[in-house]
């Protein structure tokens, strides 16, 4: 998707939209995201920086995330966000800029300024607290906190469906008051070295993404396609609800097609058009993500986990897992334990 970063405001939900958002919540829960804030940035005009998140910025939370979502929360002042090939957009206090695929971008006090690398300006906290940037020419001030959401999972249909950048105005959202208060409180606590746990920021980071995605989904036109648009399609939305409601059921393409009232061929074509994968391939990917979650968080035997994620035998589950990730479930669990 090209064009300026998508600006989001809250719109009332219809019953169909509520169902779609339930599926959206299921997908977000199925992908384990870890988030946090790593930088307190204070600029004074004129200024311009180029920025992109690196794995090292997330090392306190994730050793080597396969997917990273970067975001900036503007607390005071304004700034201009630039992405290659797209028009710049100005954001102000109470707005959040999210980069679902961690694209390189510029942040500045105005157009026409030469950027310096934000990495070169970071001042690490000697006591292990929040890193800082203090930079600029002494003019109008802008302050923001920078955070991330990361995942060890490589496949995420939700992230693939989003544009390169989203701007979320929390002042217009239903969660406005508590999100803004939480962001400011957490930023102050982190900057002062008083927050010992990152659990609050991880939850807040996830909430910001959920709010942005909910609002973005409400802006899609009838002419657009894609996974999020599929949630609103009466047939594909129903299929997604069925799959996410019970991943362990013995679903087949024929069974799903009958449930939603389409022929087998029409269902496969329509599902693939919206979601990007045939229905059973999509179901397998979801089951594998669920399997990794259980493997990482529980000590259940592999055979028991096989039934939990919808396989009739340990052998069938192990074959499917190895096809997906190139490693057996037991070896994957051992690797996670070692890390």
């Amino acid at each position: 998707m090209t064009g300026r970063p998508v600006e989001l405001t809250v719109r009332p939900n219809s019953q169909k939209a509520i169902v779609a958002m339930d599926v959206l919540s299921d997908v977000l829960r199925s992908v384990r995201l870890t988030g946090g804030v790593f930088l307190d940035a204070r600029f004074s005009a004129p200024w311009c920086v180029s920025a992109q998140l690196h794995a090292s910025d997330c090392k306190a939370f994730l050793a080597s995330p396969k997917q990273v979502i970067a975001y900036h929360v503007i607390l005071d002042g304004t700034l201009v966000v630039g992405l290659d090939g797209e028009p710049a957009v100005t954001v102000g206090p109470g707005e959040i800029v999210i980069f679902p695929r961690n694209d390189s971008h510029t942040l500045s006090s105005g157009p026409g300024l030469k950027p310096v690398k934000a990495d070169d300006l970071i001042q690490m906290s000697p006591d292990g607290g929040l890193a800082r940037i203090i930079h600029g020419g002494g003019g109008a001030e802008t302050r923001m906190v920078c955070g991330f959401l990361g995942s060890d999972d490589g496949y995420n249909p939700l992230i693939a469906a989003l544009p390169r950048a989203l701007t979320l105005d929390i002042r217009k959202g239903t969660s406005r008051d508590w999100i803004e208060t939480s962001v400011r409180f957490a930023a102050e606590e982190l900057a002062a070295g008083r927050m010992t746990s990152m659990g609050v920021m991880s939850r807040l980071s996830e909430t910001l993404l959920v709010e942005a995605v909910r609002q973005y989904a409400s802006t899609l036109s009838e002419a657009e396609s894609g996974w999020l648009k599929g949630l609103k399609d009466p047939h594909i939305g129903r299929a997604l609800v069925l799959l996410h409601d019970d991943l362990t059921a013995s679903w087949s393409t024929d069974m799903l097609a009958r449930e939603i009232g389409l022929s087998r061929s029409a269902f496969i074509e329509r599902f693939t058009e919206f979601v990007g994968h045939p229905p059973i391939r999509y179901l397998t990917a979801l089951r594998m993500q669920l399997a990794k979650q259980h493997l990482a968080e529980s000590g259940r035997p592999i055979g028991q986990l096989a039934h939990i994620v919808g396989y009739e035998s340990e052998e069938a589950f192990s074959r499917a897992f190895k096809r997906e990730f190139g490693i057996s479930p037991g070896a994957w669990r051992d690797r996670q334990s070692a890390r």
Side-chain angles (χ1 to χ4, degrees):
M1 177 178 255
T2 58
R4 61 184 290 148
V6 179
E7 299 178 18
L8 305 175
T9 56
V10 175
R11 295 182 180 180
N13 286 325
S14 64
Q15 186 61 41
K16 185 189 297 185
I18 291 173
V19 171
M21 292 306 102
D22 287 343
V23 181
L24 174 58
S25 297
D26 287 340
V27 174
L28 287 171
R29 282 194 298 267
S30 71
V31 180
R32 303 297 290 178
L33 295 169
T34 298
V37 164
F38 64 92
L39 182 65
D40 176 14
R42 305 174 187 227
F43 300 103
S44 57
W47 61 275
C48 182
V49 299
S50 59
Q52 187 174 32
L53 206 59
H54 304 290
S56 59
D57 297 318
C58 315
K59 64 182 178 182
F61 309 86
L62 289 169
S64 54
K66 293 182 180 178
Q67 253 180 358
V68 175
I69 300 168
Y71 69 83
H72 307 301
V73 181
I74 294 80
L75 299 176
D76 299 296
T78 61
L79 60 86
V80 178
V81 181
L83 278 168
D84 285 344
E86 300 187 6
V89 62
T90 300
V91 293
E95 293 186 89
I96 300 164
V97 186
I98 301 174
F99 301 92
R101 288 180 289 282
N102 191 31
D103 285 289
S104 177
H105 54 278
T106 60
L107 307 169
S108 68
S109 57
L113 299 172
K114 184 178 180 180
V116 298
K117 289 184 177 180
D119 291 347
D120 297 337
L121 303 174
I122 294 177
Q123 305 169 20
M124 302 305 297
S125 172
D127 58 3
L130 197 63
R132 282 191 175 186
I133 289 179
I134 301 176
H135 172 70
E141 296 183 349
T142 298
R143 184 188 173 198
M144 65 183 182
V145 291
C146 306
F148 78 95
L149 279 160
S151 173
D152 288 330
D153 300 324
Y155 171 71
N156 189 331
L158 169 61
I159 303 306
L162 296 175
R164 294 175 65 196
L166 296 170
T167 62
L168 169 66
D169 190 343
I170 59 177
R171 298 168 299 180
K172 299 178 181 177
T174 55
S175 305
R176 173 191 62 194
D177 292 340
W178 79 263
I179 290 180
E180 187 169 13
T181 300
S182 298
V183 168
R184 286 185 176 273
F185 173 77
E188 295 295 341
E189 293 292 291
L190 285 167
R194 290 192 291 265
M195 185 174 284
T196 58
S197 172
M198 294 299 175
V200 173
M201 288 313 302
S202 182
R203 182 71 184 98
L204 180 60
S205 300
E206 183 178 341
T207 300
L208 295 176
L209 176 65
V210 171
E211 189 76 8
V213 174
R214 287 183 189 278
Q215 294 184 29
Y216 172 65
S218 72
T219 69
L220 297 176
S221 72
E222 293 300 321
E224 295 184 74
S225 63
W227 185 88
L228 285 170
K229 187 62 179 176
L231 295 181
K232 296 184 177 182
D233 180 86
H235 296 293
I236 304 309
R238 172 64 177 158
L240 289 169
V241 168
L242 290 169
L243 290 173
H244 282 271
D245 188 54
D246 190 358
L247 295 180
T248 65
S250 300
W251 294 115
S252 67
T253 302
D254 290 337
M255 186 186 306
L256 286 166
R258 286 196 302 270
E259 287 285 341
I260 66 172
L262 287 178
S263 69
R264 186 179 191 277
S265 59
F267 171 51
I268 294 175
E269 181 180 358
R270 195 169 184 84
F271 191 98
T272 305
E273 175 189 352
F274 280 114
V275 179
H277 300 280
I280 301 306
R281 176 68 187 87
Y282 178 76
L283 174 62
T284 299
L286 292 178
R287 286 175 169 173
M288 292 299 103
Q289 299 302 335
L290 181 62
K292 287 172 69 175
Q293 178 182 332
H294 282 293
L295 285 167
E297 297 179 357
S298 78
R300 290 189 177 96
I302 303 299
Q304 185 178 352
L305 289 181
H307 290 285
I308 289 175
V309 298
Y311 288 86
E312 295 183 355
S313 69
E314 180 177 342
E315 292 75 18
F317 168 59
S318 295
R319 286 196 302 270
F321 193 96
K322 192 167 185 178
R323 280 197 303 269
E324 192 79 9
F325 303 116
I327 189 173
S328 70
W332 188 90
R333 171 183 271 169
D334 292 342
R335 181 182 294 177
Q336 296 304 302
S337 297
R339 290 170 60 182

